[in-house]
Amino acid sequence: MNFATNHEGQLTIGGIAASQLAHTFQTPLYVYDVGAIRHQIRAFKQVFETAGVAYAVSYASKAFATIAMYEVAKAEAIHVDVVSGGELYTAQAADFPMEKVSFHGNNKSKAELEQALDAGVGTIIVDNFHELDLLDELLKAAVGKQNVLIRVAPGISAHTHAYDQTGQTDSKFGFDLESGQADEAAKRILADDHLNLLGIHAHIGSQIFEVAGFEAVTQKLLAVLDHWHQQFSFTPKVLNVGGGFGIAYTKQDDPLPPEAFVQAIVTTLKTQSHGFNWPLPAVWIEPGRSIVGPAGYSLYTVGSRKDVPGLRPYVAVDGGMGDNIRPALYQAQYTAVVADHPTAQPTEHVHLVGKYCESGDILIDDAPLPATQPGDVVAVFDTGAYGYSMASNYNRNPRPAVVFVEDGQAQLVVTRETYADLIQHDQHYTAPSQPAPTSTATTAAKK
């Protein structure tokens, strides 16, 4: 695990000691190294530019969506994709250019589609016929056209957790290719005066370590586009192969650099497109985890400890499944260090657990750590994706703050929730003045 330290040997994030950040902003705390985010975005862009291929890097903001993150994406001149009205609203609040927004989702509501159309969202990625019906209804009175991509289920399963697979035929996402649904969708869109078909989209899954799946889906989508060109005289402008590039959470993970996946996609595009009598489309990718995952850290303060002879000790911290549900949900694994002694040799293996009232509230089931004391700050690496975005108020715990660090400067970008925040939507209940009538069923039972 690569990390930076200062002259005192302490873990640093963006040039600031992690323990100092914990002291200043309290724990549990999400911290992002903004320089690392920018570096990965630029690495993706460099592959395309070196290859001379038209492209768009579209940040999959479901991984981590805040105003500040959309502002960083805007500064780096990339696209973003959103999957809800809430994410779109946040992007609007960040003044993100709407023409660079794509809107995903397998069950977009009418209200969300209205919001997207009113905002001027650049591309809607159509997922099903119900959505086409809604768009047709909403666009009847429209003057211009709405750009769309067709999301297909390519029949390619990624080698990843079952919950992270999205490209197989038996999936809730996208038009099926084998049954002809995708062809019917293309035919219908091309005949619609209010829709402008840009191309095709597929996403085969998340946390993928092998390039073979991306090579296969690129080849398959190119074949579909060529089929549409021959059948419908359609000239595609966009080939969107999604994201899902894996990152290293533990020493056992050995992924390729995320940009290596892009290189494989570009190479496949060039080699498989020979003989097409239509120009190469722009390649769009949707990295999320690979942009923000390694840039994020979760900082906790050690509290209680439980020792049972012959069993692994339990070391508890002041966060847990409320700020990182992935270990309980996906059996996700992470790596942790003591922030002030990150290079210290481990002296024991412990269950690193949270404070929530669930036996499954285990952040790391087997964490090799040096001896810890109450008050020590523990840093968990690579939590930048799906930690904050999936956080909850379980057990009525406030969600942590989020801090961005860059060039030795720390800035609070999401304030810590308070107890008052937890009850802001609660309403008092006034019981009816008269007793509720006894139900017929209850009366019959008494007789």
Side-chain angles (χ1 to χ4, degrees):
M1 190 64 61
N2 295 321
F3 54 82
T5 57
N6 59 18
H7 65 282
E8 297 179 17
Q10 299 169 312
L11 171 70
T12 60
I13 305 171
I16 302 179
S19 55
Q20 179 182 334
L21 292 166
H23 176 75
T24 302
F25 298 102
Q26 306 305 302
T27 59
L29 182 69
Y30 299 110
V31 181
Y32 284 82
D33 181 344
V34 180
I37 293 174
R38 297 188 195 276
H39 174 80
Q40 187 56 64
I41 290 172
R42 294 169 188 178
F44 281 133
K45 295 169 75 172
Q46 186 60 51
V47 174
F48 287 115
E49 291 170 6
T50 300
V53 174
Y55 72 96
V57 175
S58 185
Y59 168 61
S61 61
K62 65 179 182 176
F64 172 62
T66 64
I67 289 175
M69 183 60 212
Y70 287 120
E71 289 172 335
V72 172
K74 177 183 176 182
E76 292 298 315
I78 60 172
H79 292 214
V80 301
D81 81 62
V82 300
V83 298
S84 71
E87 288 184 359
L88 175 56
Y89 185 85
T90 308
Q92 290 177 280
D95 197 27
F96 193 89
M98 288 294 109
E99 68 274 11
K100 291 185 176 182
V101 174
S102 300
F103 195 177
H104 266 291
N106 71 301
N107 191 28
K108 306 178 190 72
S109 69
K110 184 177 179 180
E112 286 176 321
L113 290 172
E114 285 179 318
Q115 178 188 357
L117 295 174
D118 290 344
V121 162
T123 307
I124 295 177
I125 300 178
V126 180
D127 204 274
N128 51 66
F129 290 112
H130 172 67
E131 186 176 338
L132 278 179
D133 291 339
L134 289 175
L135 280 173
D136 185 61
E137 177 185 344
L138 292 171
L139 289 167
K140 280 180 179 177
V143 177
K145 282 194 170 188
Q146 174 62 51
N147 290 333
V148 297
L149 292 175
I150 294 176
R151 177 165 184 170
V152 302
I156 296 172
S157 296
H159 296 282
T160 184
H161 191 284
Y163 290 172
D164 289 336
Q165 295 177 6
T166 57
Q168 67 273 28
T169 299
D170 188 2
S171 168
K172 73 175 186 178
F173 296 105
F175 293 93
D176 178 47
L177 285 176
E178 299 300 325
S179 66
Q181 287 183 358
D183 285 355
E184 179 61 29
K187 181 179 179 180
R188 179 171 164 180
I189 292 171
L190 289 169
D192 193 315
D193 292 336
H194 301 295
L195 297 176
N196 179 39
L197 182 59
L198 295 181
I200 197 167
H201 171 281
H203 182 71
I204 62 173
S206 299
Q207 190 59 358
I208 302 168
F209 284 5
E210 301 170 0
V211 299
F214 292 100
E215 293 170 338
V217 75
T218 302
Q219 185 173 351
K220 193 160 192 175
L221 294 185
L222 282 170
V224 175
L225 290 176
D226 191 49
H227 167 66
W228 289 352
H229 179 72
Q230 294 179 40
Q231 185 171 357
F232 306 125
S233 299
F234 168 62
T235 300
K237 296 182 177 62
V238 174
L239 172 70
N240 189 331
V241 295
F245 316 133
I247 67 170
Y249 285 106
T250 69
K251 292 180 179 179
Q252 286 69 44
D253 294 332
D254 187 26
L256 295 167
E259 55 271 24
F261 292 95
V262 179
Q263 184 61 63
I265 293 165
V266 169
T267 300
T268 303
L269 173 76
K270 289 186 173 182
T271 57
Q272 296 297 320
S273 60
H274 293 307
F276 292 167
N277 60 350
W278 44 276
L280 285 181
V283 177
W284 289 12
I285 60 170
E286 296 171 345
R289 182 198 316 265
S290 56
I291 287 178
V292 295
Y297 303 73
S298 293
L299 304 184
Y300 303 102
T301 299
V302 172
S304 68
R305 177 188 177 101
K306 178 181 178 179
D307 289 284
V308 178
L311 297 178
R312 189 177 300 157
Y314 288 83
V315 173
V317 297
D318 56 352
M321 65 189 302
D323 57 76
N324 188 354
I325 192 63
R326 294 187 68 253
L329 189 62
Y330 300 136
Q331 296 77 54
Q333 299 182 20
Y334 289 90
T335 301
V337 297
V338 176
D340 279 344
H341 310 286
T343 61
Q345 289 299 308
T347 58
E348 60 181 356
H349 286 239
V350 305
H351 299 291
L352 189 68
V353 301
K355 61 177 289 184
Y356 293 80
C357 290
E358 294 284 347
S359 296
D361 179 26
I362 301 175
L363 289 168
I364 305 176
D365 193 44
D366 182 5
L369 289 174
T372 57
Q373 300 295 326
D376 284 345
V377 174
V378 169
V380 179
F381 294 110
D382 303 301
T383 60
Y386 306 106
Y388 173 81
S389 62
M390 298 177 77
S392 75
N393 293 127
Y394 186 45
N395 292 167
R396 282 268 150 150
N397 281 297
R399 284 175 292 191
V402 182
V403 170
F404 275 15
V405 186
E406 187 170 18
D407 295 331
Q409 299 294 317
Q411 183 178 340
L412 185 68
V413 297
V414 178
T415 58
R416 184 178 306 281
E417 287 183 333
T418 66
Y419 290 145
D421 292 328
L422 294 177
I423 63 169
Q424 64 177 324
H425 298 298
D426 287 13
Q427 299 293 316
H428 291 284
Y429 172 68
T430 302
S433 56
Q434 298 294 327
T438 305
S439 70
T440 303
T442 303
T443 303
K446 289 179 178 179
K447 289 181 180 180

